[in-house]
Amino acid sequence: MKALTLVAGFGIAGIVLAQGGFTYRSPKENPNLIISGKSGWVELDKKFEVTGGVKLESKPDKFTLLGDRISGDLVKENKQTVADHIQVRGTVLFTQQQQNGDVKISGKEADYNLLNADLARAVLRGGVKLDFTGTDAKAGSTDITASAVEATFKRKTAKDEDSLVSANMTGPVSYTGVGSSEKGKSTISAKADLMTYELKEDGAELKLAGNLYFSQKGPSDEESADVSGAQSVILTLNKAKEVVRVRMSSE
């Protein structure tokens, strides 16, 4: 079966439908938006749906979505085609470049919506896992599991900015991260019903609440501790995603 190529005007988009799969690129040369999978359809500048090992890559927003089925709208923004109202189903993986590393969020289904020219929101549900992996050896790494995550991202960032602005996570939630002090590194673990993340000027802040358990190991026995019975804990993170301050409350 020969490939069928349709070109919808100069600089707009190309659609390639072949026996080996389906690919949409916009624009055709040096594309900002690429959607590929086993099969699918697209109505140019309107809608799309692709199934079977789907990959959606948005270069301007620096994110990639993987799933079994991805559908959404195609809209114009500053004369470029972008995807909006995206629905992803089946073995979802969302990845985005961050300062000092990458954020990966996986789950069973996801929705991604543009809020405005500056912000976008991703909602993932079903056995969600959020990982921050530092590309710098000095950066901390973070692992979070939750039932659902709602995250807001900056669509355009300066050189030293993170794109993850905030996140709400519903539990049961578990958190594993790296603590940093003058005495060295420690491993911090926590479990809770709810957790929020908020970007700050000099780092970020994590709040955990409800049925809380907290543990810190190292850098020596003197700095190790575990706490139960607290109702909330606030973790202050530096720009490398390391915990530099811990505050707990039983109220």
Side-chain angles (χ1 to χ4, degrees), residues 14-225:
I15 305 173
V16 179
L17 177 61
Q19 190 173 18
F22 178 95
T23 301
Y24 167 87
R25 296 157 60 89
S26 178
K28 183 180 178 182
E29 302 296 333
N30 299 316
N32 293 307
L33 178 65
I34 304 172
I35 309 170
S36 61
K38 185 176 180 180
S39 62
W41 59 266
V42 60
E43 183 179 357
L44 295 184
D45 298 329
K46 294 290 185 179
K47 295 179 180 294
F48 69 91
E49 181 175 320
V50 183
T51 60
V54 188
K55 179 179 180 180
L56 184 152
E57 182 179 3
S58 174
K59 292 185 178 180
D61 290 9
K62 298 180 180 178
F63 78 83
T64 299
L65 272 167
L66 304 178
D68 296 334
R69 178 176 67 84
I70 301 182
S71 62
D73 296 335
L74 298 172
V75 299
K76 286 295 185 181
E77 186 178 72
N78 297 324
K79 298 183 179 181
Q80 292 184 343
T81 300
V82 297
D84 195 7
H85 306 123
I86 303 170
Q87 293 186 335
V88 192
R89 300 296 181 262
T91 317
V92 179
L93 177 62
F94 172 92
T95 61
Q96 187 172 55
Q97 298 175 9
Q98 299 281 310
Q99 178 191 347
N100 296 326
D102 298 323
V103 165
K104 295 182 179 181
I105 313 176
S106 59
K108 293 182 180 179
E109 60 179 46
D111 299 313
Y112 185 91
N113 296 284
L114 304 180
L115 300 179
N116 50 48
D118 300 316
L119 298 173
R121 178 172 295 152
V123 179
L124 286 92
R125 297 171 291 272
V128 180
K129 184 175 182 181
L130 187 154
D131 297 321
F132 172 83
T133 303
T135 53
D136 188 329
K138 296 180 180 180
S141 293
T142 299
D143 296 313
I144 297 170
T145 62
S147 296
V149 173
E150 179 180 309
T152 301
F153 297 91
K154 290 182 182 179
R155 299 182 59 199
K156 304 293 185 292
T157 58
K159 182 179 179 181
D160 296 328
E161 285 186 319
D162 274 341
S163 60
L164 180 59
V165 176
S166 63
N168 295 318
M169 292 155 254
T170 55
V173 180
S174 68
Y175 165 85
T176 302
V178 176
S180 179
S181 67
E182 294 180 354
K183 296 181 179 179
K185 306 288 186 180
S186 60
T187 299
I188 292 178
S189 302
K191 295 181 180 181
D193 292 333
L194 302 169
M195 183 164 67
T196 62
Y197 172 95
E198 185 176 358
L199 184 67
K200 299 291 185 181
E201 184 176 353
D202 54 352
E205 186 175 82
L206 277 173
K207 295 181 180 179
L208 297 96
N211 292 315
L212 184 67
Y213 172 78
F214 177 88
S215 172
Q216 177 175 315
K217 295 182 180 179
S220 65
D221 289 341
E222 288 76 13
E223 285 78 38
S224 296

